[in-house]
Amino acid sequence: MAVFRFAPSPNGRLHLGHAYSALLNQRLASAGGGRLLLRIEDIDRERCRPEFETGIHEDLAWLGIAFDGVPRRQSEHLAEYAAVLDRLRGMGLVYPAFLSRAEVARFVGDRESAGKPWRRDPDGSPHFPPVDRERPSADATARLSAGEPHALRLDMRKAMEAAGPLDWRESGGGARQLVPAEPGAWGDVVLAGRETATSYHLSVVVDDALQEVTDVVRGRDLFAATSVHRLLQKLLGLPAPRYLHHRLILDETGRKLAKSSGDTGLGELRAAGVAPDEIRARVGLGA
Ligand code: GLU
């Protein structure tokens, strides 16, 4: 049976873009007699708030979207992500990264001001410098035992060598196709942050597998991240779902909607007397 999921992060209120994603998932799940799951992606304890989570449930209920089973809250499963991370560590693919954000900025700034371009990832952030990856292990061990704050990063080159070439099944934009994965575009991604026992990439891959998701339907802004997800799935021996990256709902200036966008917030629209049917029509999923 097909299993779809909607996986919002409670770091703001839902807007029309989320409504489109949730309604599209609902439509595709019900068309094929599949299940639709809800996952609350709340690993970022600094940005996620209980009132936003309550708002998510209210907005989705108001839109008339019912989910199967109990919602999975990522914050309740940190030990599971840590166990998976240990497996990657055991494969020699993970290293502790001590450089702070400011140190990374300085490293990249120095290169760039010397006229040497430094690679950016698909989100525009500079690739993580090789300093920690190449750090002598005695130095890393000493820092770890001194309790120095660190993230855990994937050694992308080694991971890609271990996994070999990968692709994914994509049906966004109408046509079905196989998309070659290019995880190297991201550099050494974070698997666990300084403050968090996991990362978006790791937890999304673990959860899609644990929840037996067959169809990942989400915004086009996550298209490039799928390369990392395929890589982790391969390394961990997890099944590869089908993917559909849908168009984004943009504001009048052509920009992606932000969580704070007042006039496209579902709570605001509801308070202004807009009906769920109008929301469906507005995102192009009217009856
Ligand atoms: N939690 C992510 C977001 O709100 C979505 C993750 C996903 O669908 O894979 O943008």
Side-chain angles (χ1 to χ4, degrees):
M1 181 195 278
V3 179
F4 292 75
R5 77 340 182 244
F6 178 57
S9 300
N11 54 15
R13 291 297 301 261
L14 299 188
H15 54 57
L16 281 177
H18 297 105
Y20 176 58
S21 200
L23 289 165
L24 183 60
N25 269 288
Q26 181 194 39
R27 178 166 289 200
L28 294 171
S30 70
R35 284 160 61 80
L36 176 59
L37 309 179
L38 177 63
R39 182 160 78 226
I40 302 294
E41 301 210 324
D42 59 347
I43 51 170
D44 184 344
R45 298 316 284 161
E46 273 181 19
R47 294 174 63 219
C48 294
R49 295 213 229 114
E51 61 269 31
F52 292 142
E53 191 171 335
T54 309
I56 287 174
H57 292 292
E58 281 170 12
D59 291 340
L60 292 171
W62 173 70
L63 279 175
I65 304 180
F67 292 90
D68 294 296
V70 183
R72 179 174 169 96
R73 300 178 70 236
Q74 290 188 323
S75 58
E76 294 169 356
H77 298 275
L78 296 181
E80 289 162 55
Y81 309 126
V84 172
L85 183 52
D86 268 347
R87 281 179 53 205
L88 293 171
R89 215 189 304 213
M91 295 161 77
L93 301 177
V94 178
Y95 66 88
F98 301 98
L99 288 193
S100 66
R101 217 178 270 256
E103 286 168 324
V104 172
R106 202 170 326 125
F107 178 98
V108 175
D110 286 351
R111 296 295 153 122
E112 290 182 336
S113 51
K116 295 187 199 134
W118 191 256
R119 199 161 172 203
R120 311 265 149 175
D121 71 21
D123 283 347
S125 298
H127 277 205
F128 191 70
V131 178
D132 284 310
R133 189 179 60 225
E134 291 167 359
R135 194 180 290 285
S137 63
D139 179 1
T141 310
R143 285 166 186 261
L144 288 175
S145 41
E148 200 173 305
H150 62 279
L152 293 172
R153 286 184 177 263
L154 184 70
D155 184 329
M156 183 55 82
R157 207 171 24 98
K158 268 199 209 163
M160 287 175 64
E161 266 167 34
L166 295 165
D167 52 29
W168 79 82
R169 289 171 293 168
E170 172 69 45
S171 57
R176 274 166 212 274
Q177 51 172 323
L178 276 181
V179 178
E182 290 167 10
W186 291 93
D188 292 351
V189 291
V190 175
L191 296 177
R194 289 179 165 222
E195 314 291 338
T196 339
T198 183
S199 67
Y200 162 63
H201 294 308
L202 187 68
S203 50
V204 81
V205 158
V206 169
D207 285 352
D208 283 337
L210 275 172
Q211 296 189 289
E212 300 181 355
V213 170
T214 59
D215 291 82
V216 172
V217 175
R218 61 186 177 193
R220 183 93 198 159
D221 50 341
L222 292 170
F223 184 89
T226 308
S227 287
V228 177
H229 302 171
R230 284 294 299 118
L231 175 64
L232 293 175
Q233 285 157 358
K234 179 73 197 291
L235 294 170
L236 294 164
L238 304 174
R242 292 180 285 260
Y243 288 88
L244 188 165
H245 291 93
H246 58 69
R247 68 187 165 85
L248 300 177
I249 306 285
L250 305 174
D251 68 13
E252 349 28 277
T253 65
R255 274 206 305 260
K256 195 182 134 185
L257 298 182
K259 297 255 176 186
S260 53
S261 46
D263 55 344
T264 56
L266 298 184
E268 281 86 350
L269 291 165
R270 180 163 82 237
V274 175
D277 276 350
E278 293 171 58
I279 303 284
R280 274 194 202 93
R282 225 171 124 172
V283 298
L285 290 174

